[in-house]
Amino acid sequence: MRRLVVFEGESVIQMIAKHLREVPVPPSRRTDLPVPPELDRLVLACLAKAPEDRPRGAGELSRALAAIEGAPWSEEQAMQWWSRIQELP
């Protein structure tokens, strides 16, 4: 199964250092699939270093996700996507 990680490193220390210092790559730059700019911003906000820059809770996150243009995925579509992504090298 493929591990999905925000940062890669040759050691745990290297990965921790990247978590502390580097800005994550937006989801749109990690896939060939279309990713709405609003989703890019929301994912990066969830990964923000400063807690005050992150969504304030599940309710705020849910409202932000619902406001993003485009048809939401069904549970079945999400499971199919996870199955495909885990099979990648």
PDB file of all heavy atoms in Angstrom, residues 10-14 21-22 26 28-29 31 37 39 42 47-48 52 56-57 59 62-63 66 71 83 86:
ATOM      1  N   GLU A  10      14.779  11.303   4.004  1.00  0.00           N
ATOM      2  CA  GLU A  10      15.557  10.077   4.116  1.00  0.00           C
ATOM      3  C   GLU A  10      15.592   9.554   5.547  1.00  0.00           C
ATOM      4  O   GLU A  10      15.941   8.411   5.775  1.00  0.00           O
ATOM      5  CB  GLU A  10      16.970  10.314   3.600  1.00  0.00           C
ATOM      6  CG  GLU A  10      16.996  10.587   2.096  1.00  0.00           C
ATOM      7  CD  GLU A  10      18.399  10.815   1.575  1.00  0.00           C
ATOM      8  OE1 GLU A  10      19.374  10.397   2.233  1.00  0.00           O
ATOM      9  OE2 GLU A  10      18.519  11.419   0.498  1.00  0.00           O
ATOM     10  N   SER A  11      15.213  10.409   6.499  1.00  0.00           N
ATOM     11  CA  SER A  11      15.177   9.993   7.902  1.00  0.00           C
ATOM     12  C   SER A  11      14.000  10.676   8.587  1.00  0.00           C
ATOM     13  O   SER A  11      13.423  11.638   8.063  1.00  0.00           O
ATOM     14  CB  SER A  11      16.481  10.390   8.611  1.00  0.00           C
ATOM     15  OG  SER A  11      16.547  11.803   8.733  1.00  0.00           O
ATOM     16  N   VAL A  12      13.674  10.185   9.756  1.00  0.00           N
ATOM     17  CA  VAL A  12      12.588  10.795  10.540  1.00  0.00           C
ATOM     18  C   VAL A  12      12.954  12.234  10.888  1.00  0.00           C
ATOM     19  O   VAL A  12      12.109  13.135  10.801  1.00  0.00           O
ATOM     20  CB  VAL A  12      12.321   9.964  11.814  1.00  0.00           C
ATOM     21  CG1 VAL A  12      11.335  10.666  12.717  1.00  0.00           C
ATOM     22  CG2 VAL A  12      11.823   8.574  11.460  1.00  0.00           C
ATOM     23  N   ILE A  13      14.189  12.483  11.240  1.00  0.00           N
ATOM     24  CA  ILE A  13      14.640  13.832  11.603  1.00  0.00           C
ATOM     25  C   ILE A  13      14.472  14.779  10.415  1.00  0.00           C
ATOM     26  O   ILE A  13      14.009  15.913  10.566  1.00  0.00           O
ATOM     27  CB  ILE A  13      16.112  13.823  12.086  1.00  0.00           C
ATOM     28  CG1 ILE A  13      16.251  12.960  13.339  1.00  0.00           C
ATOM     29  CG2 ILE A  13      16.619  15.229  12.305  1.00  0.00           C
ATOM     30  CD1 ILE A  13      15.463  13.463  14.543  1.00  0.00           C
ATOM     31  N   GLN A  14      14.810  14.318   9.223  1.00  0.00           N
ATOM     32  CA  GLN A  14      14.669  15.138   8.027  1.00  0.00           C
ATOM     33  C   GLN A  14      13.191  15.473   7.772  1.00  0.00           C
ATOM     34  O   GLN A  14      12.848  16.604   7.428  1.00  0.00           O
ATOM     35  CB  GLN A  14      15.287  14.430   6.829  1.00  0.00           C
ATOM     36  CG  GLN A  14      15.412  15.307   5.606  1.00  0.00           C
ATOM     37  CD  GLN A  14      16.064  14.572   4.449  1.00  0.00           C
ATOM     38  OE1 GLN A  14      15.646  13.475   4.088  1.00  0.00           O
ATOM     39  NE2 GLN A  14      17.101  15.182   3.894  1.00  0.00           N
ATOM     40  N   ARG A  21       9.637  23.565   8.909  1.00  0.00           N
ATOM     41  CA  ARG A  21      10.153  24.711   8.148  1.00  0.00           C
ATOM     42  C   ARG A  21       9.541  24.919   6.765  1.00  0.00           C
ATOM     43  O   ARG A  21       9.547  26.030   6.255  1.00  0.00           O
ATOM     44  CB  ARG A  21      11.663  24.564   7.987  1.00  0.00           C
ATOM     45  CG  ARG A  21      12.378  24.603   9.311  1.00  0.00           C
ATOM     46  CD  ARG A  21      13.885  24.605   9.102  1.00  0.00           C
ATOM     47  NE  ARG A  21      14.551  24.538  10.385  1.00  0.00           N
ATOM     48  CZ  ARG A  21      15.203  23.472  10.835  1.00  0.00           C
ATOM     49  NH1 ARG A  21      15.294  22.400  10.095  1.00  0.00           N
ATOM     50  NH2 ARG A  21      15.773  23.499  12.012  1.00  0.00           N
ATOM     51  N   GLU A  22       9.068  23.872   6.124  1.00  0.00           N
ATOM     52  CA  GLU A  22       8.649  23.993   4.726  1.00  0.00           C
ATOM     53  C   GLU A  22       7.134  24.107   4.573  1.00  0.00           C
ATOM     54  O   GLU A  22       6.390  23.573   5.387  1.00  0.00           O
ATOM     55  CB  GLU A  22       9.152  22.799   3.923  1.00  0.00           C
ATOM     56  CG  GLU A  22      10.663  22.749   3.809  1.00  0.00           C
ATOM     57  CD  GLU A  22      11.161  21.616   2.941  1.00  0.00           C
ATOM     58  OE1 GLU A  22      10.356  21.015   2.195  1.00  0.00           O
ATOM     59  OE2 GLU A  22      12.369  21.324   3.017  1.00  0.00           O
ATOM     60  N   PRO A  26       0.892  22.239  -2.759  1.00  0.00           N
ATOM     61  CA  PRO A  26      -0.566  22.188  -2.908  1.00  0.00           C
ATOM     62  C   PRO A  26      -1.001  20.900  -3.605  1.00  0.00           C
ATOM     63  O   PRO A  26      -0.274  20.367  -4.456  1.00  0.00           O
ATOM     64  CB  PRO A  26      -0.885  23.401  -3.786  1.00  0.00           C
ATOM     65  CG  PRO A  26       0.308  24.278  -3.709  1.00  0.00           C
ATOM     66  CD  PRO A  26       1.485  23.390  -3.441  1.00  0.00           C
ATOM     67  N   SER A  28      -3.002  20.393  -5.970  1.00  0.00           N
ATOM     68  CA  SER A  28      -3.082  20.521  -7.430  1.00  0.00           C
ATOM     69  C   SER A  28      -1.746  20.265  -8.116  1.00  0.00           C
ATOM     70  O   SER A  28      -1.709  19.912  -9.291  1.00  0.00           O
ATOM     71  CB  SER A  28      -3.589  21.911  -7.813  1.00  0.00           C
ATOM     72  OG  SER A  28      -2.693  22.906  -7.348  1.00  0.00           O
ATOM     73  N   ARG A  29      -0.643  20.420  -7.389  1.00  0.00           N
ATOM     74  CA  ARG A  29       0.677  20.178  -7.979  1.00  0.00           C
ATOM     75  C   ARG A  29       1.156  18.750  -7.743  1.00  0.00           C
ATOM     76  O   ARG A  29       2.229  18.378  -8.190  1.00  0.00           O
ATOM     77  CB  ARG A  29       1.674  21.183  -7.413  1.00  0.00           C
ATOM     78  CG  ARG A  29       1.345  22.584  -7.930  1.00  0.00           C
ATOM     79  CD  ARG A  29       2.342  23.650  -7.639  1.00  0.00           C
ATOM     80  NE  ARG A  29       3.718  23.236  -7.574  1.00  0.00           N
ATOM     81  CZ  ARG A  29       4.616  23.801  -6.761  1.00  0.00           C
ATOM     82  NH1 ARG A  29       4.246  24.797  -5.967  1.00  0.00           N
ATOM     83  NH2 ARG A  29       5.856  23.384  -6.753  1.00  0.00           N
ATOM     84  N   THR A  31      -0.927  16.077  -8.478  1.00  0.00           N
ATOM     85  CA  THR A  31      -1.769  15.197  -9.281  1.00  0.00           C
ATOM     86  C   THR A  31      -2.008  15.804 -10.653  1.00  0.00           C
ATOM     87  O   THR A  31      -1.853  17.013 -10.829  1.00  0.00           O
ATOM     88  CB  THR A  31      -3.126  14.957  -8.579  1.00  0.00           C
ATOM     89  OG1 THR A  31      -3.913  14.062  -9.373  1.00  0.00           O
ATOM     90  CG2 THR A  31      -3.896  16.244  -8.374  1.00  0.00           C
ATOM     91  N   PRO A  37      -9.048  25.648  -6.976  1.00  0.00           N
ATOM     92  CA  PRO A  37      -8.154  26.502  -6.184  1.00  0.00           C
ATOM     93  C   PRO A  37      -8.616  26.647  -4.737  1.00  0.00           C
ATOM     94  O   PRO A  37      -7.793  26.702  -3.821  1.00  0.00           O
ATOM     95  CB  PRO A  37      -8.187  27.847  -6.904  1.00  0.00           C
ATOM     96  CG  PRO A  37      -8.662  27.549  -8.285  1.00  0.00           C
ATOM     97  CD  PRO A  37      -9.519  26.323  -8.191  1.00  0.00           C
ATOM     98  N   LEU A  39     -10.073  24.399  -2.927  1.00  0.00           N
ATOM     99  CA  LEU A  39      -9.686  23.186  -2.195  1.00  0.00           C
ATOM    100  C   LEU A  39      -8.198  23.207  -1.894  1.00  0.00           C
ATOM    101  O   LEU A  39      -7.779  22.824  -0.794  1.00  0.00           O
ATOM    102  CB  LEU A  39     -10.068  21.932  -2.990  1.00  0.00           C
ATOM    103  CG  LEU A  39      -9.776  20.600  -2.304  1.00  0.00           C
ATOM    104  CD1 LEU A  39     -10.481  20.510  -0.951  1.00  0.00           C
ATOM    105  CD2 LEU A  39     -10.186  19.440  -3.206  1.00  0.00           C
ATOM    106  N   LEU A  42      -7.813  25.429   1.070  1.00  0.00           N
ATOM    107  CA  LEU A  42      -8.337  24.834   2.298  1.00  0.00           C
ATOM    108  C   LEU A  42      -7.411  23.740   2.829  1.00  0.00           C
ATOM    109  O   LEU A  42      -7.148  23.676   4.034  1.00  0.00           O
ATOM    110  CB  LEU A  42      -9.746  24.289   2.055  1.00  0.00           C
ATOM    111  CG  LEU A  42     -10.461  23.716   3.269  1.00  0.00           C
ATOM    112  CD1 LEU A  42     -10.552  24.737   4.399  1.00  0.00           C
ATOM    113  CD2 LEU A  42     -11.849  23.225   2.880  1.00  0.00           C
ATOM    114  N   LEU A  47      -3.098  22.446   6.944  1.00  0.00           N
ATOM    115  CA  LEU A  47      -1.708  22.072   7.227  1.00  0.00           C
ATOM    116  C   LEU A  47      -0.872  23.251   7.718  1.00  0.00           C
ATOM    117  O   LEU A  47       0.347  23.118   7.881  1.00  0.00           O
ATOM    118  CB  LEU A  47      -1.068  21.479   5.963  1.00  0.00           C
ATOM    119  CG  LEU A  47      -1.697  20.187   5.444  1.00  0.00           C
ATOM    120  CD1 LEU A  47      -1.126  19.837   4.069  1.00  0.00           C
ATOM    121  CD2 LEU A  47      -1.496  19.046   6.424  1.00  0.00           C
ATOM    122  N   ALA A  48      -1.507  24.379   7.969  1.00  0.00           N
ATOM    123  CA  ALA A  48      -0.772  25.578   8.387  1.00  0.00           C
ATOM    124  C   ALA A  48       0.011  25.322   9.673  1.00  0.00           C
ATOM    125  O   ALA A  48      -0.434  24.588  10.558  1.00  0.00           O
ATOM    126  CB  ALA A  48      -1.743  26.737   8.589  1.00  0.00           C
ATOM    127  N   GLU A  52      -3.761  29.323  14.556  1.00  0.00           N
ATOM    128  CA  GLU A  52      -4.741  30.363  14.234  1.00  0.00           C
ATOM    129  C   GLU A  52      -4.982  30.503  12.729  1.00  0.00           C
ATOM    130  O   GLU A  52      -5.953  31.129  12.310  1.00  0.00           O
ATOM    131  CB  GLU A  52      -4.335  31.713  14.834  1.00  0.00           C
ATOM    132  CG  GLU A  52      -3.028  32.255  14.346  1.00  0.00           C
ATOM    133  CD  GLU A  52      -1.795  31.820  15.146  1.00  0.00           C
ATOM    134  OE1 GLU A  52      -1.900  30.896  15.978  1.00  0.00           O
ATOM    135  OE2 GLU A  52      -0.730  32.408  14.915  1.00  0.00           O
ATOM    136  N   ARG A  56     -11.128  26.548  12.404  1.00  0.00           N
ATOM    137  CA  ARG A  56     -11.342  26.554  13.861  1.00  0.00           C
ATOM    138  C   ARG A  56     -11.963  25.266  14.401  1.00  0.00           C
ATOM    139  O   ARG A  56     -12.015  25.056  15.592  1.00  0.00           O
ATOM    140  CB  ARG A  56     -12.228  27.727  14.266  1.00  0.00           C
ATOM    141  CG  ARG A  56     -11.690  29.079  13.855  1.00  0.00           C
ATOM    142  CD  ARG A  56     -10.470  29.472  14.689  1.00  0.00           C
ATOM    143  NE  ARG A  56     -10.006  30.809  14.369  1.00  0.00           N
ATOM    144  CZ  ARG A  56      -8.979  31.078  13.581  1.00  0.00           C
ATOM    145  NH1 ARG A  56      -8.309  30.112  13.023  1.00  0.00           N
ATOM    146  NH2 ARG A  56      -8.622  32.309  13.344  1.00  0.00           N
ATOM    147  N   GLY A  57     -12.439  24.426  13.524  1.00  0.00           N
ATOM    148  CA  GLY A  57     -13.034  23.170  13.972  1.00  0.00           C
ATOM    149  C   GLY A  57     -13.697  22.454  12.811  1.00  0.00           C
ATOM    150  O   GLY A  57     -13.693  22.929  11.672  1.00  0.00           O
ATOM    151  N   GLY A  59     -16.837  22.032  12.157  1.00  0.00           N
ATOM    152  CA  GLY A  59     -17.946  22.769  11.561  1.00  0.00           C
ATOM    153  C   GLY A  59     -17.469  23.763  10.520  1.00  0.00           C
ATOM    154  O   GLY A  59     -18.028  23.853   9.421  1.00  0.00           O
ATOM    155  N   SER A  62     -16.209  21.839   7.507  1.00  0.00           N
ATOM    156  CA  SER A  62     -17.337  21.301   6.746  1.00  0.00           C
ATOM    157  C   SER A  62     -18.004  22.382   5.896  1.00  0.00           C
ATOM    158  O   SER A  62     -18.312  22.153   4.717  1.00  0.00           O
ATOM    159  CB  SER A  62     -18.359  20.676   7.689  1.00  0.00           C
ATOM    160  OG  SER A  62     -19.466  20.190   6.976  1.00  0.00           O
ATOM    161  N   ARG A  63     -18.217  23.573   6.467  1.00  0.00           N
ATOM    162  CA  ARG A  63     -18.823  24.675   5.716  1.00  0.00           C
ATOM    163  C   ARG A  63     -17.924  25.107   4.561  1.00  0.00           C
ATOM    164  O   ARG A  63     -18.395  25.375   3.458  1.00  0.00           O
ATOM    165  CB  ARG A  63     -19.128  25.845   6.647  1.00  0.00           C
ATOM    166  CG  ARG A  63     -20.306  25.590   7.561  1.00  0.00           C
ATOM    167  CD  ARG A  63     -20.685  26.822   8.366  1.00  0.00           C
ATOM    168  NE  ARG A  63     -19.648  27.227   9.320  1.00  0.00           N
ATOM    169  CZ  ARG A  63     -19.468  26.676  10.514  1.00  0.00           C
ATOM    170  NH1 ARG A  63     -20.249  25.690  10.921  1.00  0.00           N
ATOM    171  NH2 ARG A  63     -18.500  27.112  11.314  1.00  0.00           N
ATOM    172  N   ALA A  66     -18.183  22.530   1.814  1.00  0.00           N
ATOM    173  CA  ALA A  66     -19.487  22.611   1.143  1.00  0.00           C
ATOM    174  C   ALA A  66     -19.557  23.806   0.198  1.00  0.00           C
ATOM    175  O   ALA A  66     -20.296  23.771  -0.786  1.00  0.00           O
ATOM    176  CB  ALA A  66     -20.599  22.684   2.182  1.00  0.00           C
ATOM    177  N   ALA A  71     -19.452  19.149  -7.942  1.00  0.00           N
ATOM    178  CA  ALA A  71     -20.265  18.105  -7.325  1.00  0.00           C
ATOM    179  C   ALA A  71     -19.471  17.381  -6.258  1.00  0.00           C
ATOM    180  O   ALA A  71     -18.316  17.007  -6.486  1.00  0.00           O
ATOM    181  CB  ALA A  71     -20.731  17.125  -8.393  1.00  0.00           C
ATOM    182  N   SER A  83      -8.799   3.464  -3.251  1.00  0.00           N
ATOM    183  CA  SER A  83      -8.300   2.166  -3.746  1.00  0.00           C
ATOM    184  C   SER A  83      -7.277   2.369  -4.855  1.00  0.00           C
ATOM    185  O   SER A  83      -6.234   1.729  -4.875  1.00  0.00           O
ATOM    186  CB  SER A  83      -9.455   1.330  -4.270  1.00  0.00           C
ATOM    187  OG  SER A  83     -10.292   0.957  -3.225  1.00  0.00           O
ATOM    188  N   GLN A  86      -3.882   3.975  -3.516  1.00  0.00           N
ATOM    189  CA  GLN A  86      -3.075   3.054  -2.706  1.00  0.00           C
ATOM    190  C   GLN A  86      -2.339   2.043  -3.568  1.00  0.00           C
ATOM    191  O   GLN A  86      -1.356   1.465  -3.128  1.00  0.00           O
ATOM    192  CB  GLN A  86      -3.944   2.357  -1.677  1.00  0.00           C
ATOM    193  CG  GLN A  86      -4.413   3.311  -0.600  1.00  0.00           C
ATOM    194  CD  GLN A  86      -5.362   2.669   0.386  1.00  0.00           C
ATOM    195  OE1 GLN A  86      -5.847   1.571   0.151  1.00  0.00           O
ATOM    196  NE2 GLN A  86      -5.612   3.341   1.472  1.00  0.00           N
TER     197      GLN A  86
END
